[in-house]
């Protein structure tokens, strides 16, 4: 890996932990980045729970989803491979089973933007259903053909709902895709709450797209606080009661 790929690996490890803390990833799900060293390759962790992913776990995957020798890889790596192949503008992908989003993949209510921070949803949210092309399966994206079908359903959207499974959110950077995954989940939560209360005023396309331009300039600020939050939580977790009684170590890791 080049120095830029190693920086991306660090960002991906952080993104994994940020997405866990926001309830987007749990023991499942993953986040990848297009490799800087080879644009048809991508960076993705070896098969590991997102909360435990370290920069050293990030492996360079080929365009066919292959990586390493004898490595245990994510079963659904093909969705990353095929979205990068179909969408040259996409530089990072989050695949999650985030719980508030899943209902919108199994009902006819559209996941429309209702908060300005999810204005990007005004581009339209795609739907993918494995049954249409593959019949009855375990719903996982287990090969290139299924990955290509999902990429086809995603089209030019930034988010695709996967029936009975989860979703994908894509972006122009690791930070951007992370932002979109977190605010897709938040928008789904707000929309479900609002739908239970009464009729809903959604953002118009013009409002959503205008808000997205504004918010896209703020991602660095969000990333800074999300990263600090993760680092503090991990620092705090290292403190045992014994260590605390002996006095807290000075300073937090940067
Ligand atoms: Zn999945």
């Amino acid at each position: 890996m080049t120095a830029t790929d190693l920086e991306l690996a660090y960002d991906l490890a952080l993104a994994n932990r940020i997405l866990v803390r926001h309830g987007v990833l749990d023991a499942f799900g993953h986040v990848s980045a297009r490799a800087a060293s080879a644009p048809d390759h991508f960076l993705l962790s070896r098969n590991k729970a997102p909360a435990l992913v370290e920069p050293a776990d990030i492996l360079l995957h080929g365009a066919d989803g292959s990586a390493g020798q004898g490595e245990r890889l994510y079963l659904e790596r093909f969705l990353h491979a095929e979205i990068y192949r179909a969408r040259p503008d996409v530089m990072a992908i989050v695949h999650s089973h985030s719980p508030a989003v899943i209902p919108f993949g199994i009902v006819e209510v559209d996941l429309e933007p209702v908060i300005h921070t999810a204005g990007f949803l005004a581009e339209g949210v795609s739907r993918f259903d494995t049954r249409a092309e593959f019949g009855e399966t375990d719903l996982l994206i287990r090969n290139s053909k299924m990955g290509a079908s999902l990429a086809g359903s995603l089209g030019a959207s930034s988010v695709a709902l996967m029936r009975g499974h989860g979703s994908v959110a894509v972006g122009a950077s690791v930070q951007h895709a992370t932002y979109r995954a977190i605010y897709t989940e938040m928008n789904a939560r707000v929309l479900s709450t609002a739908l239970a209360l009464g009729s809903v005023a959604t953002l118009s396309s013009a409002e959503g797209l205008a808000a997205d331009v504004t918010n896209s300039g703020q991602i660095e600020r969000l990333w800074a606080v999300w990263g600090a939050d993760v680092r503090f939580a991990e620092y705090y977790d290292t403190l045992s009661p014994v260590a605390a009684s002996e006095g807290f170590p000075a300073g937090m890791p940067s």
Side-chain angles (χ1 to χ4, degrees), residues 129-153:
D129 188 341
T130 41
R131 268 187 313 207
E133 202 174 331
F134 304 101
E136 292 186 320
T137 66
D138 64 2
L139 283 76
L140 301 185
I141 308 300
R142 286 180 168 274
N143 54 54
S144 300
K145 205 169 170 211
M146 296 181 87
S149 182
L150 170 61
S153 293

Side-chain angles (χ1 to χ4, degrees), residues 231-244 248-249 251-253:
R231 283 190 286 269
F232 178 76
E234 292 180 358
Y235 162 81
Y236 189 82
D237 287 347
T238 63
L239 301 177
S240 68
V242 173
F248 292 110
M252 273 177 54

Side-chain angles (χ1 to χ4, degrees), residues 107-127:
V107 299
E108 290 185 355
V109 178
D110 287 330
L111 181 55
E112 292 191 75
V114 285
I115 51 176
H116 77 101
T117 38
F120 56 89
L121 297 175
E123 295 170 346
V125 173
S126 305
R127 290 175 181 273

Side-chain angles (χ1 to χ4, degrees), residues 12-155:
L12 284 173
L14 195 53
N16 270 277
R17 287 149 189 260
I18 288 170
L19 288 160
V20 169
R21 283 185 66 74
H22 284 82
V24 173
L25 302 181
D26 50 18
F28 298 113
H30 18 84
V31 47
S32 71
R34 189 185 290 280
S37 56
D40 62 336
H41 286 46
F42 61 99
L43 302 166
L44 178 67
S45 173
R46 56 170 54 90
N47 190 324
K48 199 168 181 185
L52 304 176
V53 169
E54 305 276 352
D57 291 314
I58 306 297
L59 305 175
L60 186 62
H61 287 60
D64 61 353
S66 61
Q69 276 287 329
E71 290 284 359
R72 201 156 165 249
L73 306 176
Y74 288 127
L75 286 174
E76 296 193 280
R77 59 195 182 276
F78 302 101
L79 73 86
H80 298 270
E82 296 307 319
I83 290 173
Y84 288 122
R85 191 193 308 278
R87 288 278 301 272
D89 60 307
V90 168
M91 301 305 282
I93 300 168
V94 177
H95 166 56
S96 78
H97 309 155
S98 69
V101 176
I102 290 176
F104 292 91
I106 57 178
V107 299
E108 290 185 355
V109 178
D110 287 330
L111 181 55
E112 292 191 75
V114 285
I115 51 176
H116 77 101
T117 38
F120 56 89
L121 297 175
E123 295 170 346
V125 173
S126 305
R127 290 175 181 273
F128 173 71
D129 188 341
T130 41
R131 268 187 313 207
E133 202 174 331
F134 304 101
E136 292 186 320
T137 66
D138 64 2
L139 283 76
L140 301 185
I141 308 300
R142 286 180 168 274
N143 54 54
S144 300
K145 205 169 170 211
M146 296 181 87
S149 182
L150 170 61
S153 293
L154 175 68

